[in-house]
Amino acid sequence: MSATYTAAATLPEALAALASGARPVAGGTDLVVGARQGKAPLPDSLVAIHGLAELRGIAETGGGGLRIGALVSHADLVAHPAVRERYTALADASAIVGSHATRHVGTLGGNVMNASPAMETGGPLICFGAEAVLVSESGERRVAVADLLTGPGRTAARPDELLVAIELPAAAGGSCYARLEYRRQMEIAVVGATCAVTLEGARIGSARVAITALTPRIVRVPDAESALAGGDGGAGAVQAAGDAAAAAAQPISDVRASADYRRAMAAVIARRAVTAAIARARGSSDSVPIPASPALHGADRD
Amino acid sequence: MRYDAVLNVNGTDFPVEIEPHRSLLSVVRTELGMPGSKEGCDDSECGACMMLLDGRPVNSCSYLALQADGRKIVTVEGLADGGELHPLQRQFLAQGGVQCGFCTPGMLISAKALLDQNPAPSEDEIRIALSGNLCRCTGYQGIVRAVQAAAAEIA
């Protein structure tokens, strides 16, 4: 069959194309590369959505949260003051997706719908309680990002549905996403961890912790969260949270790391994310993203 | 099926008729006859194919040519001003930033994208910005020096 292509000028046009079997392409940074690597051939029928103005932009919502259009690029996310200040872990994650040659074509929507268990933005979105807004010709529905991601490369979205936006509820406190990587750019998490905490006076109020590239889909780690919540956020609690993250890991061995190495690094990377999230909640202004390797950068974070 | 598109490359409009699955890199190299941009990994890992799309860098091996319809593209062929090399090109030569030359077009585009956004980058910022571009010859030292020297020259 000969391949077909439409560049959608409006959302209804894109939805009609999806309803008749086309697959969407925005930045193409996963789709086209995946086809080259033999993961999945490029779809025969493509609808390009990069021109849809209604899928762009970051807006404050009435409830003190943010609505992020699916076409917002990683570069836009890193540059956005509200994302950096209130959803810092998402800024950390967006800052290390691909390279500067992918961050402004690669989109948040694409990162989410590609549903890699190693994707950078998933952990932060799940910790912030993000919802995906899915639209089709038959209407709109909202699905928690935690429920949208059902497995490697799989989502709960129907083929005729388009992700149009991600909505984040109001957030307080501090957060961080950290990953183990072998290269600063054109890398994806070997192991990743997210932490978001709120403070109650000097103590930790609530805590959310998620692990990336350690389970078939990115998940929260309740044991790590309860190790932190209500405590002093000191070294003992951080250690316990890291150990809980490692215990929750079900890593695979592949060309990038063995399962044993991933499990060992789960504790290290989780501690790094937790430490930075607590420091940020207490007012420290760590760089975004935090250094990949504290030792190499001469910053002793312990 | 083939589709009409107009690619504006280095300031000139090129009408093309292309298949949906063609990459921007393959169309620019083969249909437009500009072979400066290289195919290294064809996988978005090495950056040898980097071009500017509306002023920002993109790995053209992994970008569909039809999605660049009506947009402005700059390749390494567009850096020199007539016979006058761009300061980055001159400094890559002067500082030993080139050995085999295969990564050079992508390095130059990547460095141009950096300097356009950040005219006075630190060494760390240069190394981070260029870390999506792989060089297997130079050890990067000469490349970093070249970007520093070009930044100083442009400033």
Side-chain angles (χ1 to χ4, degrees), chain B:
Chain B
M1 186 168 172
R2 293 171 151 234
Y3 295 84
D4 289 328
V6 177
L7 303 181
N8 182 288
V9 183
N10 302 325
T12 305
D13 279 342
F14 293 91
V16 289
E17 204 190 49
I18 41 182
E19 307 269 354
H21 293 180
R22 292 287 299 281
S23 71
L24 180 57
L25 176 67
S26 82
V27 172
V28 169
R29 280 178 59 89
T30 59
E31 313 296 320
L32 308 189
M34 285 184 241
S37 312
K38 302 303 183 211
E39 181 183 304
C41 63
D42 201 21
D43 217 8
S44 248
E45 293 280 349
C46 77
C49 64
M50 221 174 265
M51 299 177 185
L52 298 181
L53 179 66
D54 291 334
R56 303 181 72 180
V58 64
N59 287 318
S60 65
C61 74
S62 305
Y63 201 78
L64 298 179
L66 283 174
Q67 288 191 274
D69 181 24
R71 299 164 75 182
K72 288 192 185 341
I73 297 150
V74 173
T75 69
V76 70
E77 288 92 341
L79 291 186
D81 183 5
E84 181 79 9
L85 290 182
H86 187 278
L88 277 165
Q89 293 172 304
R90 217 167 42 244
Q91 291 296 348
F92 265 63
L93 290 172
Q95 303 291 335
V98 180
Q99 284 188 34
C100 88
F102 198 82
C103 74
T104 311
M107 284 285 181
L108 287 167
I109 291 290
S110 200
K112 169 134 183 17
L114 169 68
L115 295 185
D116 286 349
Q117 284 220 316
N118 179 0
S122 67
E123 181 182 336
D124 254 13
E125 287 170 330
I126 294 170
R127 288 186 182 275
I128 289 172
L130 298 185
S131 57
N133 298 81
L134 297 180
C135 171
R136 305 289 79 167
C137 310
T138 65
Y140 301 100
Q141 305 292 72
I143 292 172
V144 173
R145 276 200 310 272
V147 178
Q148 288 171 317
E153 194 180 318
I154 295 167

Side-chain angles (χ1 to χ4, degrees), chain A residues 93-115:
Chain A
S94 304
I96 54 178
V97 170
S99 75
H100 67 161
T102 41
R103 281 192 290 275
H104 71 95
V105 283
T107 63
L108 180 63
N111 201 232
V112 169
M113 296 308 285
N114 189 53

Side-chain angles (χ1 to χ4, degrees), chain A residues 40-100:
Chain A
L42 274 174
D44 278 327
S45 176
L46 283 170
V47 54
I49 58 169
H50 64 271
L52 296 181
E54 52 269 70
L55 269 59
R56 296 201 174 276
I58 300 176
E60 296 283 346
T61 63
L66 283 185
R67 180 182 168 100
I68 304 172
L71 285 177
V72 167
S73 71
H74 302 294
D76 294 338
L77 283 169
V78 183
H80 198 277
V83 175
R84 293 178 75 94
E85 280 159 34
R86 285 147 51 195
Y87 305 93
T88 315
L90 182 59
D92 288 329
S94 304
I96 54 178
V97 170
S99 75
H100 67 161

Side-chain angles (χ1 to χ4, degrees), chain A residues 89 92 127 173-179 192-199 204 206-211 221 223-229 231-246 266-282 284 286 290 301-302:
Chain A
D92 288 329
C127 284
S175 63
C176 177
Y177 173 75
R179 76 176 178 193
T194 310
C195 179
V197 296
T198 60
L199 296 181
I204 306 297
S206 64
R208 288 190 174 181
V209 176
I211 51 175
V221 183
D223 288 348
E225 297 175 353
S226 55
L228 293 168
D232 63 0
V238 173
Q239 178 80 35
D243 291 348
V268 174
I269 297 299
R271 287 201 298 270
R272 207 172 278 172
V274 170
T275 303
I278 293 172
R280 282 170 171 168
R282 290 178 173 157
S284 108
D286 283 341
I290 65 166
R301 311 185 70 83
D302 289 324

